[in-house]
Amino acid sequence: MVVKSFEKDGVTVFQVDGEINISTSPELKKQYEKLSAKKLVVDLEKVNYIDSSGLATLVEILKKTKSQGGSLGLAGMSEKVRSLFEITKLDKLFSIFPSQQEAVTRVK
Amino acid sequence: MEKKPGKKEFRLPSDLAEVQKASAKVLEFLKPLSLGEGCLFDVRLCLEEALINAMKYGNRLKKEIPVRLEVEVDGGELRLTVEDQGEGFDVARLKDCTKKDNLLRNSGRGVYLIHQLMDRVQYNSKGNCLVMAKKLPSHAGKH
């Protein structure tokens, strides 16, 4: 997994490429803690696999972002990744957008 | 011609680094069935979740204690058996991770996914051996 981070219209964007699983999710958490962005978009367009530890990491990031009065958007999920959010009802918890641009516009 | 991968057994050290290696071997074993991407995703996810639980909560990540993994294709279904040597696990005690009050809690989601993505999930009475089965599409393994 590779996480590319950059700023777009005042919003921090994490562009994740690869798998978010038990081995890689600590790295995503570390990247978040390093930047501690208040307005964050995690772009999952290039994520082809996520397990429960990946979902848990995103929940942790959401909790921390909200506790700091910030906002988090998830963007660009594949159909399969989105189905896991729906099955676990996490789609009710997160703000999910079809594209990175739409997420940035709504989060900023 | 119908291809039947049959049955294969693995013994894995309780080391999380082994989880993805094991799932890759299982997916390789299933290759002749030409299963779709969605089905393989579900199989991989459920297998990895089950192995992680067995190694972490069953065998307490003691590398010298193995987890037994069996994969079998028979009667139009794929069966995965994951057995640890722990004290057992009572699935009934898990809280429903999809309830509003539990959504932010990070426990039970892996087991919940297994129950949702597999067609049949069964624990032995001790609770240390999980059998999960997925019905295979009728075209699986036929050319």
Side-chain angles (χ1 to χ4, degrees):
Chain A
M1 180 198 71
V2 178
V3 183
K4 195 173 141 190
S5 65
F6 54 91
E7 291 281 315
K8 198 173 179 180
D9 301 336
V11 175
T12 303
V13 178
F14 280 1
Q15 205 166 39
V16 188
D17 192 342
E19 299 188 353
I20 312 180
N21 57 37
I22 193 154
S23 326
T24 61
S25 50
E27 178 58 29
L28 179 61
K29 199 174 171 188
K30 212 166 103 185
Q31 290 252 12
Y32 169 74
E33 281 165 356
K34 201 165 72 181
L35 292 175
S36 203
K38 270 188 99 173
K39 290 177 182 178
L40 177 67
V41 166
V42 181
D43 185 346
L44 300 169
E45 195 184 343
K46 290 179 180 167
V47 171
N48 49 18
Y49 181 83
I50 187 164
D51 66 7
S52 68
S53 67
L55 295 173
T57 300
L58 291 172
V59 169
E60 286 302 316
I61 291 175
L62 177 70
K63 282 199 276 191
K64 286 190 178 167
T65 310
K66 281 194 167 173
S67 72
Q68 290 165 0
S71 49
L72 168 71
L74 303 181
M77 284 180 199
S78 69
E79 207 179 303
K80 196 67 204 175
V81 170
R82 174 143 192 147
S83 75
L84 299 185
F85 278 78
E86 286 166 2
I87 291 168
T88 55
K89 305 272 195 294
L90 288 177
D91 59 327
K92 312 276 179 222
L93 198 64
F94 287 94
S95 302
I96 299 172
F97 304 96
S99 69
Q100 184 193 113
Q101 185 54 57
E102 206 173 323
V104 168
T105 306
R106 297 287 294 276
V107 163
K108 74 177 182 187
Chain B
M1 191 176 76
E2 195 170 345
K3 290 186 180 176
K4 290 181 180 174
K7 189 172 168 180
K8 200 162 184 174
E9 193 176 302
F10 305 86
R11 281 185 187 273
L12 314 165
S14 295
D15 177 356
L16 295 177
E18 296 294 321
V19 171
Q20 282 153 48
K21 289 182 204 164
S23 68
K25 282 180 193 165
V26 168
L27 295 190
E28 185 62 35
F29 175 73
L30 297 175
K31 230 175 185 176
L33 294 173
S34 309
L35 300 172
E37 265 182 46
C39 180
L40 290 173
F41 186 108
D42 293 349
V43 169
R44 179 186 166 191
L45 181 64
C46 294
L47 174 58
E48 292 189 2
E49 297 290 350
L51 288 174
I52 290 165
N53 286 344
M55 289 177 182
K56 214 169 160 180
Y57 305 111
N59 292 349
R60 306 277 168 198
L61 293 176
K62 289 179 183 160
K63 288 184 186 178
E64 67 281 10
I65 304 179
V67 167
R68 185 177 75 85
L69 162 64
E70 188 183 283
V71 51
E72 186 176 15
V73 175
D74 183 36
E77 71 172 18
L78 159 68
R79 279 189 295 281
L80 295 162
T81 303
V82 175
E83 183 176 14
D84 62 58
Q85 295 180 39
E87 288 168 9
F89 160 76
D90 182 6
V91 71
R93 290 180 66 184
L94 270 186
K95 289 187 173 148
D96 181 353
C97 65
T98 63
K99 281 201 171 161
K100 203 179 168 190
D101 291 346
N102 297 333
L103 279 177
L104 286 169
R105 296 166 65 107
N106 279 329
S107 70
R109 210 171 274 128
V111 173
Y112 182 80
L113 282 168
I114 292 173
H115 281 261
Q116 296 302 310
L117 298 174
M118 285 285 170
D119 294 308
R120 188 163 54 84
V121 180
Q122 207 173 357
Y123 289 87
N124 65 350
S125 54
K126 191 183 172 190
N128 69 327
C129 182
L130 163 68
V131 180
M132 44 193 178
K134 196 160 181 73
K135 282 179 198 148
L136 295 173
S138 52
H139 62 78
K142 289 178 183 168
H143 290 274

